[in-house]
Amino acid sequence: MCAAVTKPDGRIKRGEETQSRILQAAIDCIAEFGLGGTTIGRVAERSGVSHSLVIVHFKSKKNLFTAVLRELCEPYEEEWVALCNDEQGDPLDRLMRMAEMELQHASQNPKAIAVWFAYWGLREGTEMYGEIVGPDDLTHTQTLRRLVGEVCVGQSAEQVETIYYGVSSMLWGYLSMVHVGTTPPSPERVLCAIRQFLDPYVSDGKTPSSEPDASAGR
Amino acid sequence: MCAAVTKPDGRIKRGEETQSRILQAAIDCIAEFGLGGTTIGRVAERSGVSHSLVIVHFKSKKNLFTAVLRELCEPYEEEWVALCNDEQGDPLDRLMRMAEMELQHASQNPKAIAVWFAYWGLREGTEMYGEIVGPDDLTHTQTLRRLVGEVCVGQSAEQVETIYYGVSSMLWGYLSMVHVGTTPPSPERVLCAIRQFLDPYVSDGKTPSSEPDASAGR
C-alpha cells in the first residue's frame, strides 16, 4: 500500500488528465441534453479542449459514449466486488449491505443516474448499455438471486423467485424515484421496506426494527 | 350510450386523422431515437405527411412533444379514473386492482414505456414530463398512499410511509425491468410480491395464495 508508485512521464499524465476532463464534460452534457443532444462540439466546448483533441482521444462519438459507461461503472463495480468478497455476517446481512450500497449510490449520485436514464432514453443507448453494463448487471442479478435463496431457505423455488423480483424491483424503482419523482424517499426508507418484505422468510428469528431509522428523511 | 353521434364534416375528420397519424409517427420516432433524435422532418417522413402540415398541426417540436405526452396519458388516465370510481371490495382489493392495472399497462405497452424513458433521458424532457404528467402522478401517489393507510390500519404513520414507498418502488421498478432488463418478470409475479409484502399488515385475516399465479411467466 505504501510502496512508491512510479509516475508516468508528463506527457502521458497530461493525456490522462485531458481524457478525464473530456469524460467529465461528456457526463455533464449527457445528463443535461441526453445522448441525442450530446455532440463532440458540445463536449469539446464544455471541457475546454479542441474538437480535434476529443477526436484524438476517443475517435468517435460512439467510442466516447462507451467510455462514459465504463467510467461510471468503475467505482460502482469496485464497491460491489468489495462487498462480494466481504463474507462477514449471514446471507441476510450480505444481501442488506448490497441493497444499501445500491440505494446509497443512487441517492448520492443523481448525475450518474441521469446519465443511465439518458442511455435508456433511446434504443441505441439501451443497446449500448446492454453491451457494456449488461454483463455486470447479470452478475449482480445472479448474486442477489442466490442470496435471496439463502435467506429464504426452505421456501419453494417459485416463492424465492417472487421474493427476488420483489427486492429487485424495489432497487430498480428507487432509481426512477430519485430521477423522476419530486419527493424521492431516503435510501434508509427503501432499505427498511426491503428488510420488512424479507422478514417473514427469515428463519433465524431476526426481526427488523419496527420503526425505520429514516424519520429525518421521507 | 346508444345515441347517434353527429359526425364532424369531412374536413375536420381528415384533420383529426392526420393529427393522429402524426402523433403515432412521433411516438414511434421518440421510442426509437429519443427526444433529441426526433425531428419534425423525421416525424413528417414516417407519417407520410409534409413537413409544413406537421407545422400547421403542432406549430413547434415542443408542442408536438407535449401532445405526445397527453396522447399517451389519456387511455391510462381513463382506466385509472374508472378504477378510482369502482368502490367494490375493501381497500386491499382496490389497491391490488390499481397495482395490477399499472403492471399490466407497462407489460402490454413497451413502446409507451420507451417513450416515457425518452422524456426522462434528458433534463428538458424530464421537466416537460413533470409539467404535463406530474399532476396526474401526484394524484395517483395520494390515492395509493391513502389506500396503503387504509390497508395497514393500526400501523404508525412512519410504518405506513415505509410500506407505501415499498409498494411504489416496486411499481416504478417494474417499468425499468420491462424497458432495460433482459428478463423482466411477469406482471403477475410483481403483483404477487406486492401482495406478500402487504400481507403482515392486512388485518382481516386475508392470506395471499402461497404460490403466485405466474408459473408460466418469469
Side-chain angles (χ1 to χ4, degrees):
Chain A
M1 296 287 273
C2 297
V5 177
T6 309
K7 289 246 174 108
D9 76 33
R11 241 178 352 167
I12 295 177
K13 190 146 183 283
R14 257 201 317 280
E16 281 172 3
E17 280 168 8
T18 305
Q19 191 149 324
S20 162
R21 214 161 67 220
I22 296 169
L23 281 174
Q24 289 310 312
I27 288 171
D28 287 349
C29 285
I30 293 171
E32 189 164 348
F33 307 114
L35 282 197
T38 298
T39 57
I40 296 277
R42 222 167 204 172
V43 172
E45 194 184 12
R46 189 169 293 216
S47 58
V49 309
S50 69
H51 191 285
S52 53
L53 199 52
V54 177
I55 297 292
V56 166
H57 277 280
F58 293 99
K59 310 285 182 290
S60 69
K61 206 162 87 164
K62 193 174 174 191
N63 278 351
L64 176 60
F65 288 168
T66 304
V68 163
L69 284 175
R70 294 221 167 85
E71 175 80 5
L72 283 179
C73 278
E74 207 180 315
Y76 177 79
E77 271 308 298
E78 276 173 18
E79 268 194 82
W80 177 268
V81 169
L83 277 181
C84 283
N85 292 334
D86 178 3
E87 299 206 332
Q88 276 197 313
D90 58 21
L92 179 65
D93 293 327
R94 294 210 294 282
L95 179 59
M96 293 308 290
R97 280 204 298 271
M98 285 177 178
E100 186 177 10
M101 189 276 273
E102 295 216 9
L103 296 168
Q104 291 289 358
H105 196 272
S107 167
Q108 289 161 16
N109 296 282
K111 199 194 284 176
I113 304 303
V115 173
W116 295 139
F117 273 87
Y119 282 81
W120 300 334
L122 67 176
R123 194 183 295 168
E124 195 193 341
T126 309
E127 284 167 4
M128 215 184 281
Y129 176 91
E131 272 167 44
I132 308 292
V133 191
D136 286 341
D137 273 357
L138 185 63
T139 309
H140 300 185
T141 292
Q142 287 163 343
T143 306
L144 196 62
R145 224 189 207 111
R146 182 176 53 73
L147 283 172
V148 168
E150 289 174 19
V151 168
C152 304
V153 73
Q155 299 289 330
S156 69
E158 267 299 294
Q159 182 67 305
V160 168
E161 199 68 357
T162 298
I163 300 164
Y164 157 70
Y165 275 119
V167 173
S168 184
S169 60
M170 285 199 218
L171 293 174
W172 274 105
Y174 188 61
L175 301 184
S176 300
M177 291 169 108
V178 164
H179 183 66
V180 184
T182 45
T183 56
S186 65
E188 290 78 15
R189 177 76 69 190
V190 179
L191 198 66
C192 187
I194 292 175
R195 181 64 188 82
Q196 293 190 13
F197 176 52
L198 291 172
D199 190 51
Y201 313 103
V202 174
S203 49
D204 65 355
K206 283 192 176 191
T207 49
S209 63
S210 64
E211 299 287 313
D213 187 21
S215 43
R218 277 194 196 88
Chain B
M1 296 284 274
C2 297
V5 176
T6 309
K7 288 245 173 107
D9 75 33
R11 242 182 349 169
I12 295 177
K13 190 147 184 283
R14 255 200 321 280
E16 280 171 5
E17 280 168 7
T18 305
Q19 190 150 324
S20 164
R21 213 159 72 218
I22 295 169
L23 281 174
Q24 288 311 311
I27 288 170
D28 288 349
C29 285
I30 294 171
E32 188 165 347
F33 308 113
L35 282 197
T38 298
T39 58
I40 296 277
R42 222 168 204 171
V43 172
E45 193 184 15
R46 190 169 293 216
S47 58
V49 310
S50 68
H51 190 286
S52 54
L53 199 53
V54 177
I55 297 292
V56 165
H57 277 280
F58 292 99
K59 310 286 182 288
S60 69
K61 205 161 87 165
K62 191 169 179 198
N63 278 351
L64 177 60
F65 288 168
T66 304
V68 163
L69 284 175
R70 294 221 166 84
E71 175 81 5
L72 283 179
C73 279
E74 205 180 317
Y76 177 79
E77 271 308 299
E78 275 173 18
E79 268 195 82
W80 177 268
V81 169
L83 277 181
C84 283
N85 291 334
D86 176 4
E87 299 206 332
Q88 275 197 313
D90 58 21
L92 179 64
D93 293 327
R94 293 209 295 281
L95 179 59
M96 294 308 290
R97 280 203 299 271
M98 284 178 181
E100 185 177 11
M101 190 276 273
E102 294 217 7
L103 296 167
Q104 291 290 357
H105 196 271
S107 166
Q108 288 161 16
N109 297 283
K111 200 194 283 176
I113 305 303
V115 173
W116 295 139
F117 272 87
Y119 281 81
W120 301 335
L122 67 176
R123 193 182 297 168
E124 196 194 340
T126 310
E127 285 167 4
M128 214 184 281
Y129 176 92
E131 271 168 45
I132 309 292
V133 190
D136 287 341
D137 274 357
L138 184 63
T139 309
H140 300 184
T141 293
Q142 287 163 341
T143 307
L144 197 60
R145 224 188 208 113
R146 181 176 52 73
L147 283 173
V148 168
E150 289 174 19
V151 168
C152 304
V153 72
Q155 300 289 330
S156 69
E158 266 299 294
Q159 183 67 307
V160 168
E161 200 66 357
T162 299
I163 299 163
Y164 158 71
Y165 275 120
V167 173
S168 183
S169 60
M170 285 199 218
L171 293 174
W172 274 106
Y174 188 62
L175 301 184
S176 299
M177 292 169 108
V178 164
H179 183 67
V180 184
T182 45
T183 56
S186 65
E188 290 79 14
R189 176 77 68 190
V190 179
L191 197 66
C192 187
I194 292 174
R195 180 62 187 85
Q196 293 189 15
F197 176 53
L198 291 171
D199 189 51
Y201 313 103
V202 175
S203 49
D204 64 355
K206 283 193 175 190
T207 49
S209 63
S210 64
E211 300 287 311
D213 188 21
S215 43
R218 277 194 200 89

